[in-house]
Amino acid sequence: MALIYPVLADAPEPDEAAPPDFAELAADLSDQWLVEVALGEDGDEGCFGPLTARAAWELAVGVDQRRPGWSVSLLPLYLPGTADELVAAFDEA
């Protein structure tokens, strides 16, 4: 399926044939990350972490290389805030 990860908005579009590159990851979003793996439409999935940005990247790329049919996502973990702060963050986006 796909390796899904956040990139900086002003980063150049990566070449689709190029392998994923850690430099593309917006690693400054968070100190801790999760790797989410979805096996398919059966609903089997799992989350692994918290991990550093580099450890999460290496895990996600490794799983993606071994099982390209799975969907693998890198997700930043943010410090918890209030409901108002969360809503405001999405309202500003």
Side-chain angles (χ1 to χ4, degrees):
M1 283 186 180
L3 174 61
I4 303 164
Y5 55 95
V7 296
L8 296 173
D10 57 354
E13 284 290 320
D15 179 8
E16 294 211 13
D21 181 16
F22 179 74
E24 296 171 358
L25 178 68
D28 60 340
L29 290 175
S30 178
D31 291 336
Q32 296 185 326
W33 291 72
L34 287 178
V35 174
E36 182 179 75
V37 178
L39 305 186
E41 297 191 20
D42 296 336
D44 293 332
E45 61 183 42
C47 286
F48 306 93
L51 301 164
T52 65
R54 174 61 76 175
W57 178 262
E58 290 173 359
L59 177 61
V61 170
V63 170
D64 184 61
Q65 289 172 343
R66 288 164 179 78
R67 296 292 186 271
W70 295 356
S71 179
V72 182
S73 301
L74 283 157
L75 307 168
L77 286 173
Y78 299 100
L79 293 175
T82 67
D84 289 335
E85 290 169 334
L86 178 67
V87 169
F90 282 99
D91 283 344
E92 293 171 7

